Amino acid sequence: MKLEMLGICKSFGPIQVLKNMKLEILPGEIHALVGENGAGKSTLMKIVGGVIQKDAGEIRINDKLVEINKVRDAERLGIAIIHQELSVIPDMTITENVFLGNELRTLWGLVDEKTMNREVTKVLGKLGLDVNPKERCKNLGVGQLQLVEIAKALIHRAQLIVMDEPTSALTDYEIERLFTIIRSLKQDGVSFVYISHRLEELFTICDRLTVLRDGEYIGTSTIKELSFNQVISMMVGREIGDRFPKKTNRPGATILEVHNLSSTSKFHNISFNLRRGEILGIAGLMGAGRTELVRALFGAEPADSGEIWLNGKRVTIKSPKDAMALGLGFVTEDRKTEGLFIDFSLHFNIIATNFKKLSTYGLLHQQRIVPYVESLIQSLRVKTSSIYETAKNLSGGNQQKVVVAKWLGRKPTILILDEPTRGVDVGAKREIYEIMNDLAHQGVSIIMVSSELPEIVGMSDRVLVLRLGHQAGMLESDITQERIMSLATGV
Amino acid sequence: GGTSAPSKKIGLAISTLNNPFFVTLKEGAEAKAKELGYELVVTDAQDDPAKQAGQIDDLIQKKVSIILLNPCNSDAAKTMVEKATKAKIPVISVDRGVNGATVLSHIASDNVAGGVMAGEELLALVGEGAKVVELQGIPGASATVDRGTGFHQAVDGKLNVVASQSADFNRDKGFTVMQNIIQANKDIKGVFAHNDEMALGAVQALEAVGMKTVVVIGFDATDDAVAAVKAGRMKATVAQKPALIGSMAVDTAVKYLKGETVSAKIPVPLELVK
Amino acid sequence: MKQFHFTIPQQYSSLIGLLLLGLLLSILSPHFLTISNLMNILNQVSLNGLVAVGMTFVILSGGIDLSVGSVLALSGALVATLLKSGISDVVSIVIAVILGSLFGLLNGVFISFFNLQPFIVSMAFMTMFRGATFVFTQGRPITGLGDSGMFVAVGRGEIVGVPWSGIILLISFIATAFILNKTVYGKGIYAIGGNAEAARLSGLPVKRLRASVYAISGFFAALASIILTSRLDSAQPLAGQGYELDAIAAVVLGGTSLSGGRGYMVGTIIGAFIIGILNNGLNLLEVSSFYQQIVKGAVILLAVLLDRRK
Amino acid sequence: MKQFHFTIPQQYSSLIGLLLLGLLLSILSPHFLTISNLMNILNQVSLNGLVAVGMTFVILSGGIDLSVGSVLALSGALVATLLKSGISDVVSIVIAVILGSLFGLLNGVFISFFNLQPFIVSMAFMTMFRGATFVFTQGRPITGLGDSGMFVAVGRGEIVGVPWSGIILLISFIATAFILNKTVYGKGIYAIGGNAEAARLSGLPVKRLRASVYAISGFFAALASIILTSRLDSAQPLAGQGYELDAIAAVVLGGTSLSGGRGYMVGTIIGAFIIGILNNGLNLLEVSSFYQQIVKGAVILLAVLLDRRK
Ligand SMILES: Nc1ncnc2c1ncn2[C@@H]1O[C@H](COP(=O)(O)OP(=O)(O)OP(=O)(O)O)[C@@H](O)[C@H]1O
Ligand SMILES: Nc1ncnc2c1ncn2[C@@H]1O[C@H](COP(=O)(O)OP(=O)(O)OP(=O)(O)O)[C@@H](O)[C@H]1O
Ligand SMILES: [Mg+2]
Ligand SMILES: [Mg+2]
């Protein structure tokens, strides 16, 4: 399918998000759409998908002018979208979610569960997800949900598939399978718009690329003609230097020891230690139990057995409150459901972890709060019109920064980060890395779970690798993607 | 159960025990039953005829020997009586009649007549042409309809009823509604409330603004109201003698069970407490 | 097939509550476990059961409908008036049920298309429909509805000892359970209750779906009104007061979540029977009516405690 | 400072509704806009207003409390009994208010620590507390409470023409608005209503916060019961029936969302006045009680329509 968008404008209230934007997608092409957080990529794609309406401009499909006013219109035109924010229905099964709104029916007009389950099993198999299609989505991890969303787009046999950050919670293994599928669909003439902040991916899979900055069209080019750094400078309008800043931290004495921590069916006998000022990476394939492990450390879910020692003393952590009292902080994997009060202001979100320090006798200090919030917002360069903006209205990457900000303000001695740069653009990623390095330099210990191997390799002092809930190994030096992958997959 | 001697159980299906009037009626019946050595099974329909229909079914299941029915609604009770009769259980209607079906006996004092009595008393006390207020019960409830009908029979064309508003048989609402009516009608001479609860609420509201000369007449002669009449805060209340109704109902039932004949209609005299 | 494998364990707990209650009453009262009393219970449950069946759709969609009792009263007054005016019973019933659905739909239109909170909209309509019933009936019951066969049967008739009203309940239950599980429409209701935004992104007609459940709720309230009007052989202006709470209680006792998207019709029927058996049992056991409320509240609390799951 | 800048426009719309209603009534009735009637309204609003203040905490936290009316009745019966037994008025009031808060807390404990649905738990307690009141009072009003100064003043006294009850309402309103906006506790309530999981992961004591709002709601229900008992000089077993709906309506009319996390105390007070003025106006205009309900429902619907925002 050929798609052209011309002169697209869109404002939210007084803020113009898209300014005379254009985009051209050729049949059977995989087209990358890149830009900083908040540049307007998702907004542009929501217009294609009929989720929101453009203020001005035109859309042509196969050289014919079309109007897309609602989601159904887009579907009828053969467009499917994988949205950046997960949008599954937690209480429904995978099959029900995948076929929602397009259920297969029997001759009697009834929902044909059997055939649907079979179809879904097939698609999930191709994507490398081995779960029962009758499983309810609330029981899946973020990575698995992302695969469900992908399955949803694939099942429609669409002619244009928009993937808005499809891989932000996936590991290389699933990504490779996804790319295989994309390539084979491409052979059949299906076009793709591919949005990702993992720039390596673009060079692997995409044919051409369009860059967008502050809602404006910057340029389109064949990807082979560009270098990594050229793409970055088109995006951010300046050079940003190395992807990973120089590390200056010097790990000190051991501060945290974990002995044989176990949680039935999630992880087993995990033991490691963490030193002062150290960045410990935790790697593994999707569903390896990384998230569950760090949640247990933070008291978000109880572990069944094992010991945690802090500064040479045995501690029990039964709740996040306990963990926080011991100086821990935790940036959760899923910002929308666990990290943010999505309907509240940035202001509220950022102070929510730190009420004690910002109050006396339970009374909040308004004068102290505003500078506190503003300094955090500035130091993380969150793009927002005001500190009273609703979190929901921020772009994904900026939301992620808000979650980091709410923990940084507490000045934790141990900071746990679960996929800290999910959906964050290259520039902002570097900023987050710099903050991590600064913190480590100041003696804060960091545990970072990440599915992005370059990030693990580039940032960690040591790497703990999990496989199927077991400790596959601890890499102390000579950390490479290959060594991590071989531990993670067991081959 | 089975075929042994007829049980000494009497069913009493009350319309609502959320009203002290029926609580007193029930207590009168209970005292009498105890005295005569019978067991009384009481149900409370909370003014919902559908619920009462179910409770009658439950009483039939329990094989009570006779049912004293105080219907939530005279019309809705017809099918219940038919069902009990089919199960060979006689029904005596208490306080409210049953329309469209024959009962063994009807024991009551007449709400319409009570309304007339209150209306005539009010007319006598405030004089023809005076402005008065009517505080109505829950819209659609049978006591509201009947007492209102009687009252209007007595006063229409003779008194100037400046406001007829509902206060749901409730003291709290009687107070507020009266308060609001006073705002627009400072020159009223009398109030008739469809029950004593509302009358007492109205008395509170009137006293609060110093309108102590307004004549208030209630209905039911509850303990509170009788005390208020004695203290001069209310002028009168229509006494239906609920305890007497209850005890006469049980008495009649026992007579019938012992094989005596009972008359089809046993009026309980009304009395104006003033 | 396999799906039942998944749904039954979730219903298990409320079913256990029901069976425990039944067992207890069988021991405590010799009158409880008799065919005639069971039919009696079936007959009594039918009203709340029908209203709760409609309410289940509303609650699954993430809404609530407080207007059911008033819709019931107004439809009852209408069917009574139609019958009295000499229109045939079948036609009267059909008209009343259609009008009842339309009354329900009014809620739906305001809730869905003007995007208002279901609680307050249905509360406003509860008040308005009750007022309309008063005006329409002049506050008096409508009686003398005649003896036309179909109408009498609905509320008072039996087939081989089973009350018609119970049969209507069972048919309604099977039909709606089927709709919720096996049709696209049913999936749509679960979807909008589970995550309305996700449903919209999947292209479902969210607004229309949301409005429709209130029409269904109105439909079942009107159906109940026919049974009630027939059973009492009169239409009462105060009919159905408080029915919304009983219906919601039945739905919730059945394990359906008031936040929408989660629950089953089976549960609702179990819930309605828990409430019905409880009322019946308290009467059979001759619990004094002041204490009945305490016991009733405690049993409901116990039932949800039993049904508790993470 | 800046924060108020943001909150006022959101309240704007319900305030407009209130003003429109006031304007309309001023035109329609010469008795409406008089000092004595305004004080009268203040006096009448105080009961629903107080209950609604407590309900606002519950609803902001994402819950609902149907038991308030029964808590009110039970606390009223208690204070009356204490007074009759010769205990001093201040002590009686304090004990009744503490007990009322504990009754409320019972809801909270089951909802929070056993993780049950607020609707059904508070409905069970509504039934139980009402039953307890009936048992306690034997279904009869408790009267003859004597003339002890403080107790009489609460419901019947005035200060320079302003009823004490109104003053209590205004103090409660200011104090709670302050708590919600300016204290850690208040922010915690918003947080658990907005996203309980995020609140837990931010280290807030979610369970304790959730339980506490029901104690607050019980506290205000008990406070209202003191005023009511004093005003009627008697405690009624049926007191407070249906108050939960009026209180919820006030909160929702004030723009607070029933799904929690979004709303303001100012709105609740505006909502309570809309309802109070409406009742007052309908009486002043002598609208027939059949039509009153239609008008009342329509005005509530209109008010939420006015208040609608995307
Ligand atoms: N509903 C909304 N209301 C107000 N502003 C909005 C809304 N949705 C998006 N925005 C703003 O529009 C801008 C573009 O957002 P968009 O989500 O399209 O960015 P993006 O390019 O997808 O960023 P990211 O890489 O972080 O996903 C952002 O500044 C965002 O704050
Ligand atoms: N709420 C849940 N209920 C049941 N199983 C769960 C739940 N959450 C996660 N799991 C399962 O536990 C296992 C470990 O999941 P976890 O989220 O810890 O993995 P991970 O390594 O962090 O991977 P990712 O977050 O990328 O999915 C997975 O198999 C996942 O499906
Ligand atoms: Mg985006
Ligand atoms: Mg994870």
Side-chain angles (χ1 to χ4, degrees):
Chain A
M1 176 192 285
K2 183 176 171 196
L3 169 79
E4 287 165 287
M5 301 180 82
L6 267 177
I8 305 288
C9 296
K10 175 72 189 176
S11 302
F12 291 109
I15 302 159
Q16 192 171 5
V17 173
L18 290 174
K19 301 158 199 160
N20 201 16
M21 178 62 199
K22 66 176 183 181
L23 181 67
E24 183 200 43
I25 313 292
L26 300 173
E29 174 188 43
I30 304 171
H31 195 107
L33 183 61
V34 297
E36 284 182 289
N37 291 134
K41 305 179 293 292
S42 299
T43 306
L44 188 66
M45 290 303 107
K46 282 181 190 161
I47 290 172
V48 178
V51 178
I52 56 178
Q53 275 75 55
K54 59 187 181 336
D55 298 337
E58 56 182 55
I59 303 175
R60 284 171 198 279
I61 284 177
N62 297 336
D63 300 320
K64 242 177 61 201
L65 198 62
V66 294
E67 277 305 320
I68 304 179
N69 293 319
K70 48 184 199 295
V71 176
R72 275 263 180 253
D73 295 346
E75 270 181 24
R76 270 190 216 108
L77 291 165
I79 299 169
I81 299 205
I82 299 164
H83 289 281
Q84 179 175 18
E85 297 306 330
L86 292 172
S87 56
V88 296
I89 297 169
D91 280 303
M92 297 185 91
T93 64
I94 295 177
T95 298
E96 285 170 332
N97 266 294
V98 168
F99 275 100
L100 188 61
N102 292 283
E103 287 85 356
L104 301 181
R105 304 190 203 188
T106 61
L107 288 175
W108 303 91
L110 302 177
V111 173
D112 187 356
E113 304 267 358
K114 238 201 211 143
T115 317
M116 292 195 320
N117 282 329
R118 219 180 317 120
E119 294 280 309
V120 170
T121 311
K122 254 193 270 170
V123 178
L124 293 182
K126 271 200 245 168
L127 285 168
L129 183 58
D130 180 27
V131 292
N132 188 335
K134 291 175 200 156
E135 188 65 61
R136 289 184 194 278
C137 283
K138 65 178 168 195
N139 296 331
L140 302 181
V142 175
Q144 293 167 321
L145 289 177
Q146 215 158 40
L147 290 175
V148 171
E149 295 267 5
I150 293 169
K152 209 166 148 180
L154 296 180
I155 214 103
H156 289 335
R157 305 187 203 296
Q159 286 306 299
L160 172 70
I161 300 179
V162 175
M163 299 189 162
D164 194 351
E165 304 261 8
T167 57
S168 66
L170 299 187
T171 57
D172 290 359
Y173 171 75
E174 295 90 28
I175 294 174
E176 212 25 72
R177 284 188 165 241
L178 174 64
F179 285 177
T180 311
I181 295 175
I182 292 181
R183 286 195 190 97
S184 90
L185 285 172
K186 176 185 164 170
Q187 297 301 316
D188 303 340
V190 176
S191 311
F192 288 85
V193 177
Y194 194 89
I195 301 176
S196 176
H197 289 295
R198 295 180 170 187
L199 298 183
E200 299 89 345
E201 284 174 14
L202 308 181
F203 289 89
T204 320
I205 188 82
C206 296
D207 303 314
R208 294 196 304 156
L209 152 155
T210 292
V211 179
L212 178 96
R213 194 192 309 148
D214 286 333
E216 278 176 286
Y217 175 80
I218 299 297
T220 300
S221 159
T222 306
I223 208 147
K224 292 206 180 66
E225 293 166 1
L226 295 172
S227 74
F228 207 92
N229 285 333
Q230 275 173 312
V231 173
I232 292 174
S233 63
M234 277 172 86
M235 271 170 69
V236 299
R238 62 192 153 89
E239 296 289 332
I240 62 161
D242 286 342
R243 278 180 76 196
F244 299 102
K246 277 234 157 41
K247 299 181 56 164
T248 54
N249 62 324
R250 293 236 194 87
T254 296
I255 103 163
L256 177 79
E257 289 169 76
V258 174
H259 298 300
N260 294 318
L261 204 63
S262 298
S263 175
T264 320
S265 81
K266 294 193 174 138
F267 55 86
H268 316 279
N269 292 322
I270 310 290
S271 303
F272 63 90
N273 61 34
L274 180 69
R275 290 170 292 170
R276 211 180 119 78
E278 178 183 41
I279 300 179
L280 174 70
I282 299 184
L285 296 184
M286 194 188 75
R290 299 161 299 170
T291 296
E292 300 295 334
L293 172 64
V294 289
R295 281 176 71 87
L297 260 184
F298 191 65
E301 264 155 51
D304 297 328
S305 63
E307 294 176 5
I308 300 173
W309 293 68
L310 195 70
N311 291 321
K313 272 201 296 263
R314 171 135 191 226
V315 294
T316 39
I317 300 177
K318 284 218 200 81
S319 69
K321 214 170 150 238
D322 296 347
M324 285 164 69
L326 294 168
L328 272 68
F330 181 35
V331 174
T332 49
E333 179 177 30
D334 186 352
R335 56 179 171 255
K336 199 165 146 199
T337 61
E338 302 173 328
L340 288 172
F341 300 95
I342 199 89
D343 290 320
F344 293 178
S345 65
L346 297 194
H347 173 271
F348 187 101
N349 272 288
I350 287 175
I351 65 174
T353 43
N354 220 353
F355 285 137
K356 265 232 176 72
K357 229 177 75 189
L358 298 167
S359 64
T360 30
Y361 302 121
L363 269 182
L364 290 165
H365 292 289
Q366 300 295 341
Q367 320 84 294
R368 240 199 273 158
I369 287 174
V370 173
Y372 172 81
V373 172
E374 273 171 354
S375 74
L376 281 168
I377 292 225
Q378 273 155 21
S379 72
L380 285 163
R381 284 185 233 166
V382 178
K383 188 180 165 194
T384 175
S385 53
S386 131
I387 61 170
Y388 299 106
E389 183 63 82
T390 307
K392 193 165 49 186
N393 293 342
L394 294 188
S395 75
N398 281 305
Q399 290 179 0
Q400 184 68 31
K401 289 196 216 165
V402 172
V403 185
V404 175
K406 83 178 210 184
W407 288 105
L408 284 193
R410 274 188 71 82
K411 303 205 171 21
T413 52
I414 299 175
L415 182 61
I416 304 168
L417 303 160
D418 195 356
E419 310 280 5
T421 61
R422 222 186 114 208
V424 173
D425 70 38
V426 269
K429 261 182 194 164
R430 201 193 133 100
E431 285 159 16
I432 291 179
Y433 297 147
E434 271 169 16
I435 291 165
M436 286 170 65
N437 274 338
D438 277 357
L439 289 172
H441 182 77
Q442 290 160 31
V444 176
S445 309
I446 294 177
I447 297 175
M448 175 181 70
V449 174
S450 175
S451 299
E452 214 176 325
L453 284 183
E455 178 171 283
I456 291 271
V457 173
M459 292 300 296
S460 310
D461 294 309
R462 289 185 301 154
V463 179
L464 172 68
V465 184
L466 300 187
R467 171 155 46 93
L468 299 172
H470 291 274
Q471 189 159 353
M474 174 74 91
L475 297 176
E476 308 262 353
S477 59
D478 192 16
I479 299 166
T480 62
Q481 297 198 24
E482 291 71 31
R483 288 189 67 199
I484 295 175
M485 276 315 278
S486 89
L487 283 174
T489 55
V491 290
Chain B
T3 52
S4 54
S7 82
K8 290 198 127 191
K9 271 187 188 161
I10 297 174
L12 172 60
I14 300 258
S15 58
T16 175
L17 287 173
N18 287 354
N19 180 337
F21 178 84
F22 294 107
V23 177
T24 311
L25 187 152
K26 180 198 84 171
E27 287 168 355
E30 275 170 346
K32 192 70 181 178
K34 202 168 166 202
E35 178 194 322
L36 299 176
Y38 278 76
E39 189 192 334
L40 198 64
V41 183
V42 185
T43 65
D44 170 11
Q46 288 167 335
D47 268 334
D48 179 355
K51 203 173 224 169
Q52 191 159 48
Q55 289 171 339
I56 295 298
D57 290 342
D58 292 343
L59 289 174
I60 296 171
Q61 292 305 320
K62 285 195 65 92
K63 303 192 169 58
V64 295
S65 49
I66 190 164
I67 292 175
L68 308 176
L69 173 61
N70 163 230
C72 299
N73 181 284
S74 301
D75 299 299
K78 175 187 142 198
T79 56
M80 304 175 207
V81 173
E82 286 169 353
K83 218 162 176 183
T85 311
K86 220 169 102 192
K88 304 208 164 49
I89 300 175
V91 177
I92 294 176
S93 59
V94 181
D95 187 57
R96 259 175 225 142
V98 175
N99 296 343
T102 336
V103 291
L104 179 65
S105 177
H106 175 56
I107 299 166
S109 44
D110 186 350
N111 266 320
V112 179
V116 172
M117 199 180 246
E120 283 170 351
E121 178 71 10
L122 190 63
L123 183 58
L125 287 170
V126 299
E128 215 154 300
K131 287 188 178 174
V132 297
V133 168
E134 179 192 15
L135 288 182
Q136 301 167 322
I138 294 172
S142 81
T144 306
V145 175
D146 294 344
R147 292 171 189 181
T149 306
F151 175 71
H152 283 281
Q153 272 174 24
V155 306
D156 277 358
K158 296 173 191 149
L159 288 178
N160 179 8
V161 184
V162 291
S164 286
Q165 298 270 295
S166 167
D168 294 346
F169 286 133
N170 185 310
R171 198 184 291 199
D172 173 12
K173 291 225 177 87
F175 176 85
T176 9
V177 172
M178 195 65 221
Q179 233 186 2
N180 289 337
I181 292 173
I182 294 169
Q183 297 299 324
N185 303 283
K186 297 236 156 58
D187 51 353
I188 50 168
K189 294 282 182 288
V191 176
F192 168 57
H194 287 186
N195 79 347
D196 282 339
E197 288 295 305
M198 295 190 292
L200 288 164
V203 167
Q204 292 283 1
L206 289 165
E207 284 176 356
V209 293
M211 295 169 68
K212 294 191 179 169
T213 56
V214 175
V215 172
V216 178
I217 294 182
F219 207 113
D220 285 348
T222 61
D223 298 348
D224 275 7
V226 172
V229 171
K230 279 208 184 99
R233 298 167 71 208
M234 263 171 72
K235 271 289 171 313
T237 174
V238 179
Q240 283 191 310
K241 305 187 183 163
L244 185 60
I245 297 177
S247 100
M248 281 172 73
V250 172
D251 205 37
T252 310
V254 172
K255 275 190 187 142
Y256 171 81
L257 292 177
K258 289 194 172 144
E260 294 176 37
T261 47
V262 298
S263 51
K265 199 160 181 193
I266 304 174
V268 179
L270 287 162
E271 186 189 328
L272 198 65
V273 179
K274 44 183 177 178
Chain C
M1 296 301 98
K2 244 185 183 162
Q3 208 175 12
F4 273 105
H5 204 67
F6 274 82
T7 63
I8 288 177
Q10 297 216 10
Q11 308 316 309
Y12 221 45
S13 35
S14 46
L15 192 60
I16 289 179
L18 180 64
L19 293 178
L20 277 182
L21 190 63
L23 191 70
L24 191 72
L25 288 173
S26 309
I27 296 169
L28 291 178
S29 166
H31 306 291
F32 178 74
L33 208 63
T34 62
I35 295 280
S36 79
N37 191 46
L38 292 182
M39 289 305 133
N40 173 17
I41 291 173
L42 186 59
N43 193 21
Q44 289 174 22
V45 165
S46 59
L47 290 182
N48 183 30
L50 281 172
V51 177
V53 161
M55 188 69 82
T56 307
F57 281 81
V58 175
I59 290 180
L60 279 177
S61 82
I64 199 155
D65 185 357
L66 301 181
S67 74
V68 283
S70 301
V71 169
L72 191 152
L74 189 50
S75 319
L78 287 171
V79 79
T81 310
L82 289 169
L83 282 168
K84 282 195 82 165
S85 74
I87 292 170
S88 91
D89 51 2
V90 179
V91 176
S92 304
I93 291 175
V94 169
I95 293 180
V97 169
I98 290 175
L99 286 176
S101 314
L102 290 178
F103 298 148
L105 186 60
L106 267 182
N107 284 300
V109 167
F110 279 88
I111 290 166
S112 180
F113 295 98
F114 294 98
N115 202 18
L116 301 174
Q117 299 196 45
F119 195 98
I120 195 84
V121 170
S122 65
M123 190 179 140
F125 276 108
M126 166 175 93
T127 316
M128 281 190 271
F129 290 147
R130 182 67 62 189
T133 311
F134 285 145
V135 171
F136 188 75
T137 61
Q138 284 305 306
R140 280 161 213 267
I142 302 175
T143 49
L145 306 183
D147 283 334
S148 47
M150 167 86 166
F151 176 71
V152 171
V154 169
R156 285 173 271 167
E158 294 178 348
I159 299 176
V160 289
V162 182
W164 263 70
S165 56
I167 294 173
I168 293 175
L169 175 65
L170 293 183
I171 292 174
S172 303
F173 157 54
I174 293 169
T176 52
F178 183 81
I179 289 174
L180 281 179
N181 280 316
K182 300 285 171 198
T183 68
V184 173
Y185 176 77
K187 298 280 176 197
I189 301 302
Y190 277 103
I192 62 172
N195 183 345
E197 180 58 15
R200 190 175 78 94
L201 292 179
S202 299
L204 295 185
V206 175
K207 282 189 191 294
R208 262 181 292 150
L209 283 171
R210 176 165 290 148
S212 71
V213 293
Y214 294 88
I216 294 182
S217 169
F219 171 87
F220 282 104
L223 201 56
S225 85
I226 311 285
I227 295 178
L228 180 62
T229 309
S230 160
R231 186 175 295 167
L232 301 177
D233 198 16
S234 70
Q236 306 286 325
L238 285 176
Q241 259 193 335
Y243 279 27
E244 62 285 353
L245 285 190
D246 270 352
I248 296 169
V251 175
V252 175
L253 280 177
T256 294
S257 157
L258 276 168
S259 41
R262 202 154 12 110
Y264 302 88
M265 195 54 81
V266 199
T268 296
I269 293 298
I270 295 173
F273 272 93
I274 290 180
I275 296 176
I277 287 183
L278 187 57
N279 284 330
N280 172 266
L282 289 171
N283 285 334
L284 291 186
L285 296 178
E286 290 159 32
V287 178
S288 124
S289 72
F290 291 166
Y291 285 97
Q292 278 201 11
Q293 303 212 32
I294 300 183
V295 177
K296 207 172 147 182
V299 171
I300 289 178
L301 193 60
L302 213 75
V304 285
L305 267 174
L306 265 178
D307 189 39
R308 186 166 77 100
R309 45 176 179 267
K310 201 37 261 183
Chain D
M1 299 297 101
K2 241 183 181 165
Q3 211 174 11
F4 273 104
H5 202 67
F6 274 83
T7 63
I8 289 177
Q10 297 216 9
Q11 309 316 310
Y12 221 47
S13 35
S14 45
L15 194 59
I16 289 180
L18 181 64
L19 294 178
L20 277 181
L21 189 63
L23 191 70
L24 191 72
L25 287 173
S26 310
I27 295 169
L28 290 179
S29 165
H31 308 291
F32 178 74
L33 208 64
T34 62
I35 296 281
S36 85
N37 192 47
L38 293 181
M39 288 306 132
N40 174 16
I41 290 172
L42 186 59
N43 191 20
Q44 291 176 16
V45 166
S46 60
L47 291 182
N48 182 29
L50 282 172
V51 177
V53 161
M55 188 68 82
T56 307
F57 281 81
V58 176
I59 291 180
L60 279 177
S61 82
I64 200 154
D65 184 358
L66 301 181
S67 74
V68 283
S70 301
V71 169
L72 191 152
L74 188 51
S75 319
L78 288 170
V79 80
T81 310
L82 290 169
L83 281 168
K84 282 195 84 163
S85 74
I87 294 172
S88 91
D89 51 2
V90 179
V91 177
S92 305
I93 290 174
V94 170
I95 294 180
V97 169
I98 291 175
L99 287 176
S101 313
L102 290 178
F103 298 148
L105 187 60
L106 267 183
N107 285 300
V109 167
F110 278 90
I111 290 165
S112 180
F113 293 97
F114 295 98
N115 202 18
L116 301 174
Q117 299 197 46
F119 195 99
I120 196 84
V121 170
S122 65
M123 189 177 139
F125 277 108
M126 166 174 94
T127 314
M128 279 189 270
F129 290 148
R130 182 66 64 190
T133 311
F134 277 123
V135 171
F136 189 75
T137 61
Q138 285 304 309
R140 294 221 167 74
I142 302 175
T143 49
L145 308 184
D147 284 333
S148 48
M150 167 86 167
F151 177 71
V152 171
V154 168
R156 285 172 270 167
E158 295 180 348
I159 300 177
V160 289
V162 183
W164 263 69
S165 57
I167 295 173
I168 294 175
L169 175 65
L170 292 183
I171 294 174
S172 303
F173 159 54
I174 293 168
T176 51
F178 181 83
I179 290 175
L180 281 180
N181 280 315
K182 302 283 172 196
T183 70
V184 173
Y185 176 77
K187 296 282 176 191
I189 302 302
Y190 277 103
I192 61 172
N195 183 344
E197 180 61 9
R200 188 175 77 93
L201 291 172
S202 298
L204 296 181
V206 174
K207 280 190 192 294
R208 263 181 291 149
L209 283 171
R210 177 164 291 149
S212 72
V213 294
Y214 294 89
I216 294 183
S217 168
F219 171 87
F220 281 104
L223 201 58
S225 86
I226 313 284
I227 295 178
L228 181 62
T229 310
S230 160
R231 184 178 295 168
L232 301 177
D233 198 17
S234 72
Q236 307 286 324
L238 276 181
Q241 254 195 338
Y243 277 28
E244 64 285 353
L245 284 190
D246 270 352
I248 296 169
V251 175
V252 175
L253 280 177
T256 294
S257 156
L258 276 169
S259 42
R262 209 148 12 104
Y264 303 88
M265 196 53 83
V266 199
T268 296
I269 295 297
I270 295 173
F273 272 93
I274 290 180
I275 295 175
I277 288 183
L278 187 56
N279 283 330
N280 173 266
L282 289 171
N283 285 153
L284 289 185
L285 297 176
E286 282 153 32
V287 177
S288 124
S289 57
F290 293 166
Y291 285 97
Q292 279 199 11
Q293 305 218 32
I294 299 183
V295 177
K296 208 172 147 181
V299 171
I300 290 178
L301 192 61
L302 214 74
V304 285
L305 267 175
L306 265 177
D307 189 37
R308 187 166 77 99
R309 45 176 179 270
K310 218 8 281 173

